[in-house]
């Protein structure tokens, strides 16, 4: 009679593989590629379990493949959190190769090989390859962190060697799986940009996954009659998958929110975010009885750049101008692109009128210095209008209108200095 106890897990993990494949096609994240490989390995792990349970002749082969895939899954997940930007061949493939001594360890154990010398040799070789990998890859961690991780890995292999020397080969395997998945939890947390709910949940789920191995072994030995079903031990896997999907959704929502509030060409706040920040600055100014300076910056005759050199060059000039202007402002100031060749800046603590005039001169000088675009020097002029709260207006509309008037007056004066 067929033993289909792991068949529901096969269906569930198969569905997760399809989900992660779909997410990879939509987002093209390098990290998702490693996650997908890991879940494919878990699927193979379950298929191997199914084979070992139902084909006695392949019991050892199925167990060896099952344990190998479980171990290599941790390597895939570690790499996903370690360096998402690294190349496939130069990074991940070498990590899999470095894990081969550990894979041979679990394969020989599955085939009931009992020579401690062989397992001690494999443990030492695995420690050496892991240290070599840490030493050669200097991009994923700072030197101090790399040394600390190297010490932790060496300690983990030292404990494994002690267990092997005492003949406790199965506990050595359990220890290996435990610390590998504990390392996954660490790298997942460290590789995340922000400590969001999804990241925290997934990290804790990886910790739970790592604890499954020693806890299950301890309960099997000390409380054999407890009768915990396999589904309970597989729960952390599905918690991890849920957390990963939730993390991707959080990131995509963050990307969408950023895109809705920022200009795609320059990365600066767009008109919508500019209005929000101006409202917040005005609220603080009313409360603290302070002034605000609003600057409207408009490129003079910028249409000629687009007409004579093309829109691609014009976009490059705008992006360079945004960077140049941003570098001349304080971190407390807000520079935004309102559209076309028009920028605006909010100065929440502008200082006296002389300081504002000096700031305007610095911005104009920054633009007059010109830009090197594809080997061609392009010089642009600009006009800047200044409006002050509360003297020139008490709300967004009033300040923008006053700054626009001042900007056009500056533009007109620049074109006709005599005022004729």
């Amino acid at each position: 009679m067929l033993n289909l106890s792991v068949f529901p897990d096969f269906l569930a993990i198969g569905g997760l593989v399809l989900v992660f494949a779909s997410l990879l096609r939509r987002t093209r994240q390098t990290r998702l590629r490693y996650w997908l490989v890991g879940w494919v390995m878990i699927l193979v792990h379950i298929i191997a379990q199914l084979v070992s349970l139902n084909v006695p002749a392949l019991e050892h082969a199925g167990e060896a493949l099952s344990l190998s895939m479980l171990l290599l899954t941790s390597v895939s997940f570690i790499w996903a959190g370690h360096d998402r930007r690294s190349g496939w061949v130069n990074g991940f493939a070498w990590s899999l190769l470095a894990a081969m001594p550990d894979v041979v360890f679990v394969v020989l154990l599955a085939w009931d090989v009992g020579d401690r010398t062989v397992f001690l040799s494999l443990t030492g070789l695995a420690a050496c390859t892991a240290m070599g990998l840490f030493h050669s890859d200097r991009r994923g961690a700072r030197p101090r962190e790399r040394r600390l991780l190297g010490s932790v890995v060496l300690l983990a292999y030292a404990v494994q060697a002690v267990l092997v020397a005492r003949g406790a080969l199965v506990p050595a395997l359990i220890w290996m799986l435990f610390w590998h998945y504990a390392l996954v939890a660490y790298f997942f947390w460290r590789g995340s940009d922000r400590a969001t709910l999804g990241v925290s949940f997934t990290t804790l789920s990886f910790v739970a996954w790592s604890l499954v191995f020693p806890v299950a072994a301890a309960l099997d030995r000390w409380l054999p009659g407890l009768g915990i079903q396999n589904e309970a031990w597989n729960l952390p896997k599905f918690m991890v998958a849920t957390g990963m999907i939730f993390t991707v959704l959080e990131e995509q929502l963050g990307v969408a929110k950023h895109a809705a509030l920022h200009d795609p060409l320059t990365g600066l706040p767009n008109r919508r975010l500019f209005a929000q920040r101006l409202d917040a600055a005005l609220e603080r100014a009313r409360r603290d009885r302070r002034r605000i300076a609003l600057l409207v910056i408009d490129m003079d005759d910028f249409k000629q750049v687009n007409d004579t050199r093309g829109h691609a060059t014009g976009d490059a000039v705008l992006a360079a101008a945004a960077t140049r202007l941003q570098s001349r402002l304080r971190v407390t100031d807000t520079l935004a692109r309102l559209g076309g060749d028009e920028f605006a800046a909010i100065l929440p603590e502008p200082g006296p009128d002389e300081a504002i005039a000096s700031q305007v001169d610095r911005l104009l000088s920054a633009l007059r210095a010109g830009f090197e675009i594809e080997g061609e020097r392009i010089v642009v002029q600009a006009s800047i209008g200044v409006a002050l709260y509360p003297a020139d207006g008490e709300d967004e509309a009033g300040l923008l209108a006053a700054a626009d008037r001042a900007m056009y007056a500056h533009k007109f004066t620049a074109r006709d200095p005599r005022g004729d």
Side-chain angles (χ1 to χ4, degrees):
M1 184 176 179
L2 289 177
N3 186 337
L4 300 177
S5 58
V6 297
F7 190 71
D9 293 336
F10 168 77
L11 294 178
I13 297 298
L16 286 174
V17 167
L18 295 177
V19 169
F20 279 97
S22 176
L23 289 174
L24 179 60
R25 285 195 300 270
R26 292 175 181 274
T27 65
R28 296 296 180 184
Q29 287 188 15
T30 303
R31 179 180 60 174
L32 270 172
R33 179 192 298 173
Y34 305 130
W35 285 359
L36 177 60
V37 170
W39 288 111
V40 169
M41 289 177 177
I42 291 294
L43 185 62
V44 175
H45 156 75
I46 293 173
I47 293 173
Q49 282 185 324
L50 195 62
V51 170
S52 65
L53 289 173
N54 293 283
V55 185
L58 298 177
E59 179 181 356
H60 293 299
E63 185 178 359
L65 181 60
S66 174
L67 291 173
S68 299
M69 290 298 101
L70 197 58
L71 181 66
L72 291 178
T73 296
S74 69
V75 175
S76 182
F77 288 161
I78 285 173
W79 189 256
H82 177 53
D83 193 347
R84 302 181 235 172
R85 299 166 294 280
S86 294
W88 177 270
V89 175
N90 294 332
F92 182 54
W94 282 111
S95 296
L96 294 178
L97 186 62
M100 284 302 105
D102 288 328
V103 172
V104 175
F105 187 106
V106 300
V107 168
L108 294 180
L109 187 59
W111 285 93
D112 294 329
V113 175
D115 190 340
R116 300 183 191 179
T117 304
V118 173
F119 288 104
L120 279 174
S121 300
L122 289 170
T123 300
L125 181 59
C128 291
T129 56
M131 289 300 98
L133 195 64
F134 272 106
H135 180 73
S136 62
D137 186 1
R138 300 180 180 276
R139 295 165 297 179
R142 295 182 295 273
R144 181 178 179 181
E145 183 183 8
R146 192 166 58 248
R147 289 194 296 269
L148 178 60
L149 287 172
S151 300
V152 170
V153 172
L154 278 178
L155 178 61
Y157 278 114
V159 173
Q160 181 177 317
V162 170
L163 292 173
V164 171
R166 294 183 176 181
L169 297 180
V170 173
L173 170 63
I174 293 170
W175 168 255
M176 180 194 301
L177 293 172
F178 162 73
W179 73 260
H180 270 78
Y181 279 90
L183 206 59
V184 172
Y186 168 76
F187 276 115
F188 183 87
W189 176 267
R190 198 209 66 177
S192 301
D193 297 328
R194 296 182 297 118
T196 63
L197 178 60
V199 169
S200 301
F201 179 82
T202 309
T203 302
L204 292 176
S205 299
F206 271 125
V207 172
W209 193 345
S210 71
L211 291 173
V212 161
F213 305 107
V215 171
L219 292 179
D220 186 57
R221 179 175 180 180
W222 301 108
L223 297 172
L226 198 58
I228 298 178
Q229 300 297 316
N230 288 335
E231 288 76 7
W233 301 120
N234 286 326
L235 180 60
K237 293 187 183 73
F238 299 109
M239 291 170 59
V240 165
T242 301
M244 284 179 169
I245 295 171
F246 187 40
T247 300
V248 172
L249 292 177
E250 283 181 329
E251 292 173 351
Q252 293 305 304
L253 288 174
V255 169
K257 182 179 180 180
H258 184 275
L261 296 175
H262 291 79
D263 172 54
L265 176 63
T266 63
L268 295 176
N270 59 15
R271 184 179 288 273
R272 181 181 177 186
L273 182 55
F274 169 79
Q276 293 177 6
R277 293 191 178 178
L278 181 55
D279 284 342
L282 287 171
E283 183 64 29
R284 289 193 297 270
R286 294 186 189 102
R287 183 180 65 245
D288 300 335
R289 299 179 182 273
R290 293 182 178 179
R291 296 200 308 171
I292 290 177
L294 175 63
L295 279 58
V296 171
I297 308 165
D298 188 79
M299 304 292 183
D300 296 337
D301 299 323
F302 186 77
K303 185 175 182 297
Q304 291 183 2
V305 177
N306 285 329
D307 291 343
T308 59
R309 294 178 173 86
H311 287 277
T313 299
D315 288 347
V317 171
L318 288 174
T323 302
R324 188 80 59 80
L325 291 170
Q326 186 74 72
S327 68
R328 301 303 193 274
L329 294 171
R330 302 165 300 180
V331 293
T332 55
D333 301 332
T334 293
L335 178 66
R337 184 187 178 200
L338 302 185
D341 58 354
E342 185 179 10
F343 297 86
I346 305 169
L347 281 58
E349 296 182 7
D353 292 345
E354 295 80 5
I356 299 173
S358 177
Q359 177 66 78
V360 170
D361 288 339
R362 284 195 297 271
L363 295 176
L364 291 174
S365 298
L367 296 177
R368 281 196 296 264
F371 306 94
E372 287 289 335
I373 306 297
E374 296 183 355
E376 183 180 6
R377 182 173 178 78
I378 299 177
V379 178
V380 295
Q381 302 291 334
S383 297
I384 298 180
V386 180
L388 297 174
Y389 167 86
D392 299 318
E394 297 189 353
D395 56 18
E396 177 191 352
L399 285 172
L400 278 174
D404 275 334
R405 289 193 298 270
M407 182 270 294
Y408 282 112
H410 181 278
K411 194 183 294 284
F412 178 78
T413 303
R415 288 178 178 176
D416 188 359
R418 298 170 301 173
D420 296 339

